[in-house]
Amino acid sequence: MADTKNQHRRHGLIQYANGKSLEEINGTVEVPHGKGFFRTLFAYSGPGALVAVGYMDPGNWSTSITGGQSFQYTLMTTILISSLIAMLLQYMAAKLGIVSQMDLAQAIRARTGKALGIILWIMTEFAIMATDIAEVIGAAIALNLLFHIPLVPSVFITVLDVLVLLLLTKIGFRKIEAIVAALICVILFVFAYQVALSHPNWGGVFLGLVPTQKAIAQSPVVGGISPLSGSLGIIGATVMPHNLYLHSAISQTRKLDHSKVEDIRQTVRFTAWDSNIQLTLAFFVNALLLIMGVAVFKYGAVKDSSFFGLYDALNNTSMLSNPLLIAVAKSGALSTLFAIALLASGQNSTITGTLTGQVIMEGFVHMKMPLWARRLVTRLISVIPVLMCVAMTGRETVIQQHTALNMLMENSQVFLAFALPFSMLPLLLMTNSEAEMGEFKNSAWVKVCGWISVIGLTFLNLYNLPATYEGFGLWKKGTSDFLAWLTIIVILVLLAWTCYEIVRGDRRMAAEHHKHSWEKGGVDEAAEAAKEAAENQK
């Protein structure tokens, strides 16, 4: 009977898991030692691409293009700063995984109690589902635009991407990395081509990279948004919590000997190179999106910033900025390339979202599901609000339907504001810890930049909550503000609880480490004394 129970435990759909992070691919990719820089970098390249996908998913598109349409190149500096913060946070996440041999979810759970672990798991699951809603909308609209499939069937077709995932799990992790990198190149090419045709003002582009107070000003208000709300939208769509969990897990896919410090140093170094290169590409994609808003379309021409509206604008020669763009637009190439890039972005996010879901489920609550089942459950849940939105706006005008879908995508991102501090703050505390990281703990400049980034992003996300709640349009202003401030208080209380348990858990682990070292030292001294006594007897 016991054997039967254990067999069921091993082969059931939901299983107990408390081993290595993403055990099936952990330490499976061979890397060279003592070889040239570029050959070694190639072996470590790949995880950064999976992470970079989250920084150019469909949720980023409308915020960047609308920011360009409304404020020209002013918000280029916001894209640059948020990309630099992303590089810093992803570096710390990857380093935590490599050095501690735990992903971020496992490391947090090792220091916190079961109750807090479940709360953090649920919160992060909502954040993943929020990003999945953006992917459903993006992929469904892309299918509608490319193949003229009605929206409702298109939404259901997106569920079938689980079959793509099943195929990918059979071909090996290295090939998955290559496919994701190829799709990123497709997205980059599409927007680079469209921007090149538009002949932007490159002087204005580079001037926009210089930080000024204009990027966070509350006026002018264009199309219902100010530069400040535009900047907050870009930051919220750029730095996302699930990427930190993902990177801390997939950074462990490279094979190394943890007993050799030099192996760890090499892995940390080349993983950082990989991450920064791929996130630089993500920065260029987001910058190109903003430049599109400025240079491809005439100023203020795009009234409908939804994916439908942007697709139509790329077909509408009266909205485009120069004769060359107009000539290409007549062939339908601009709009078709846009839809292809949208579909590629959605499929990329499918892969990374599923892996992240598995990481947080295993790390926080020690449960494991097959990747296809995990994807199917998440996608089906994410499909429900999209179908409800389509059904509720079925009798309204086309523009109203498009606007409703766009609002659903933007409002779903509010869960990212909830979850982001609960990944950033523990990550910073743990990578600052000498007990956990040893010689790989954060240097002084990383600590300073880390604290500025974490406090700044947390403040901006919470600061924007009242406006976000008002944007839902469900309550009066007084009720919206009350609910927003209640949410802020709950988040701050939970953050204080999380920090307390992280710090207490870190001290406990430091004491255990010290005790282990002392006992080991005592054993070594005893062995040395016994050896010396034996020599004296001889």
Side-chain angles (χ1 to χ4, degrees), residues 458-511:
T458 301
F459 171 76
L460 289 173
N461 273 288
L462 297 183
Y463 178 77
N464 198 42
L465 272 185
T468 303
Y469 274 46
E470 287 176 28
F472 290 159
L474 300 174
W475 312 284
K476 294 180 181 179
K477 186 179 184 304
T479 307
S480 293
D481 289 347
F482 171 77
L483 291 173
W485 281 106
L486 183 62
T487 304
I488 290 170
I489 292 169
V490 170
I491 289 174
L492 291 176
V493 169
L494 279 174
L495 266 180
W497 182 15
T498 304
C499 288
Y500 170 74
E501 292 216 10
I502 291 286
V503 171
R504 189 179 67 169
D506 203 60
R507 287 176 180 169
R508 184 186 70 248
M509 293 177 73

Side-chain angles (χ1 to χ4, degrees), residues 163-173 176 355 371-372:
L163 300 176
V164 177
L165 193 69
L166 268 175
L167 176 64
L168 291 176
T169 56
K170 303 296 182 185
I171 66 174
F173 190 70
I176 292 176
L355 289 173
L371 287 178
W372 66 266

Side-chain angles (χ1 to χ4, degrees), residues 149-360:
I149 303 170
L151 264 182
V152 172
S154 294
V155 169
F156 280 110
I157 289 172
T158 65
V159 178
L160 298 180
D161 67 13
V162 70
L163 300 176
V164 177
L165 193 69
L166 268 175
L167 176 64
L168 291 176
T169 56
K170 303 296 182 185
I171 66 174
F173 190 70
R174 193 75 172 131
K175 292 184 179 67
I176 292 176
E177 293 174 343
I179 291 169
V180 169
L183 290 173
I184 288 175
C185 290
V186 169
I187 298 167
L188 184 63
F189 165 77
V190 168
F191 295 130
Y193 173 69
Q194 294 188 351
V195 167
L197 292 177
S198 68
H199 300 300
N201 175 10
W202 291 109
V205 171
F206 289 111
L207 194 62
L209 293 172
V210 180
T212 64
Q213 196 172 356
K214 291 180 181 178
I216 54 172
Q218 292 185 314
S219 62
V221 176
V222 180
I225 64 169
S226 65
L228 175 61
S229 57
S231 290
L232 290 172
I234 289 171
I235 291 170
T238 302
V239 184
M240 291 186 284
H242 67 275
N243 270 334
L244 302 178
Y245 292 101
L246 177 66
H247 208 181
S248 63
I250 60 176
S251 63
Q252 300 179 55
T253 55
R254 272 45 185 178
K255 192 173 183 179
L256 73 151
D257 185 350
H258 278 85
S259 65
K260 297 179 180 177
V261 176
E262 196 53 47
D263 273 20
I264 301 175
R265 287 188 188 131
Q266 174 178 294
T267 304
V268 170
R269 178 190 173 203
F270 282 98
T271 300
W273 270 101
D274 169 49
S275 174
N276 290 338
I277 290 170
Q278 300 292 349
L279 288 174
T280 300
L281 291 178
F283 160 73
F284 281 122
V285 168
N286 286 316
L288 289 169
L289 284 165
L290 186 138
I291 296 169
M292 268 187 71
V294 181
V296 172
F297 308 108
K298 291 177 182 177
Y299 178 69
V302 180
K303 304 300 181 186
D304 179 3
S305 61
S306 70
F307 296 135
F308 286 109
L310 295 170
Y311 179 87
D312 291 338
L314 289 168
N315 271 326
N316 189 339
T317 55
S318 66
M319 290 189 176
L320 300 177
S321 63
N322 67 52
L324 182 57
L325 279 168
I326 290 170
V328 178
K330 287 178 180 178
S331 69
L334 291 182
S335 55
T336 301
L337 286 173
F338 176 83
I340 289 171
L342 183 59
L343 189 59
S345 177
Q347 288 310 301
N348 259 349
S349 300
T350 290
I351 299 167
T352 57
T354 306
L355 289 173
T356 308
Q358 192 64 62
V359 167
I360 64 163

Side-chain angles (χ1 to χ4, degrees), residues 395-407:
R395 295 183 179 179
E396 297 181 5
T397 65
V398 173
I399 293 293
Q400 286 174 320
Q401 291 175 28
H402 296 173
T403 302
L405 278 173
N406 210 46
M407 287 296 293

